[in-house]
Amino acid sequence: MPAWLTVVGMGDDGFAGLGRAARRALVEASVVFGGERHLAMLPARLAARREAWPRPFDLSRVLDHRHAPVCVLASGDPMLFGVAATLARQLPAGEMRVLPAPSSLSLAAARLGWPLQDVATISLVGRPLAALNAHLRHGARVFVLSADGETPGAIAELAAARGFGPSRMIVLEHLGGAQERIAEARADEWRDRLRLAEAGSIAALNIVALECRAATGALNLPLTPGLPDDAYLHDGQLTKRDIRAITLARLAPRPGELLWDVGAGCGSIGIEWMRSHPSCRAVAIEANAERRRFIERNRDALGVPALQLVAGRAPEALDGLPAPDAVFVGGGVTVPGVLDLCWQRLASGGRLVANAVTLQGEAVLVQWREQHGGTLTRLAVAEAQPLGGFETWRPALPITLLEIAKPRDET
């Protein structure tokens, strides 16, 4: 089927800024879909019927016109956190063409002189503010796509609360249009800067640029696995830092993969799995209500609010979950059927890692390895601690780790 759908990227300069191909597509379209702001930018002479996006947002009306020439309007580059990226998951590439305009990120990078490839990007359009926490580290530059005019203030408050109040914060409004405006202040001075401005409000169409600077004592976390134990709220049910780093190395997260964290405790394994790459996903299964509250706090504080939390005990709580690419069993290895069901549901080529600290748990791992294979590793860590006027080694409880990879289907 030839391309019947054209997604037109539009800047703040509206119809006047469109190229010839985009204008022709709009002239020939039978219907044009878009937000009310974009539709209002079209000249009256266009014959196409105009349909604003429904609320809640839904693409079904677009797909209902599959055999007619249709245009969809979007901001900037529609493949960058835009509607074209969503449509591309539902349509073959040959049925849709995309005509992008310069994105707000490109325009912001041009205004500030920031090489775009060196800047992290996050969208807060329809996404929780806590996702920004994963990007707050000293020296980082971040572009944040705002949900509305209140977003910059919320970003400033979050940055200050996390110890990044000295960060340089630049808000760029209506980039590329006649109302373009740029305002700058420290994050911890943003509210005062806004009150003193001649126009106290921020336009809904804005992007925030952050140049992160950590104050003394800020929690400036690394990208590597094995975050400090005090980064987590917990009741002692925590895979400790060194063991956690080794466990994650064995789980070997890859972009786009899904982890089951079974018996998640405070959620540390699933959280650090998701921090390894923005597209990694995790499901934390935890029966204890207080620990689930710890997970909710920890996932937000460490910047992965999309971590899915399932209340219940394995194996029953695993019913209906999508097949994982990796499984970590940190609690419940002695519960009959848990390891077997996890292995059964594990995707082809996936990895299973289970840790045990008790003799009974270790016995289960030894027996399971005899049936299925894999490797067993004994991990022992000791720390130097005071003993009178001297120091001695205080060993932590040893951990037995089972690691096994599921054979990949050849089909």
Side-chain angles (χ1 to χ4, degrees), residues 57 121 124 144 159 188 210 220 312 317 331 347 350 361 368 378 389 406:
F57 180 77
T121 300
L124 295 183
V144 186
D188 53 9
L210 276 178
N220 191 26
W368 203 85
R378 171 67 65 87
K406 194 169 189 177

Side-chain angles (χ1 to χ4, degrees), residues 61 80 104 160-161 167 300 349 355 371 384:
R61 288 286 295 153
L80 183 68
S104 58
S167 298
D300 285 354
N355 289 357
Q371 298 174 352

Side-chain angles (χ1 to χ4, degrees), residues 32-39 50-54 57 62 71-74:
V32 178
F33 292 88
E36 294 177 358
R37 182 177 70 88
H38 288 131
L39 292 175
R50 305 172 194 202
E51 287 200 26
W53 294 122
F57 180 77
V62 175
C71 275
V72 166
L73 298 178

Side-chain angles (χ1 to χ4, degrees), residues 5 7 57 59 72 74-75 77-91 96-98 127:
L5 175 61
V7 185
F57 180 77
L59 287 172
V72 166
S75 295
D77 184 348
M79 291 298 290
L80 183 68
F81 296 106
V83 67
T86 304
L87 285 163
R89 291 190 285 268
Q90 303 184 44
L91 290 172
M96 178 178 71
R97 64 172 177 159
V98 180
R127 296 172 175 86

Side-chain angles (χ1 to χ4, degrees), residues 38-52:
H38 288 131
L39 292 175
M41 293 177 174
L42 298 180
R45 67 177 181 272
L46 291 181
R49 188 174 80 256
R50 305 172 194 202
E51 287 200 26

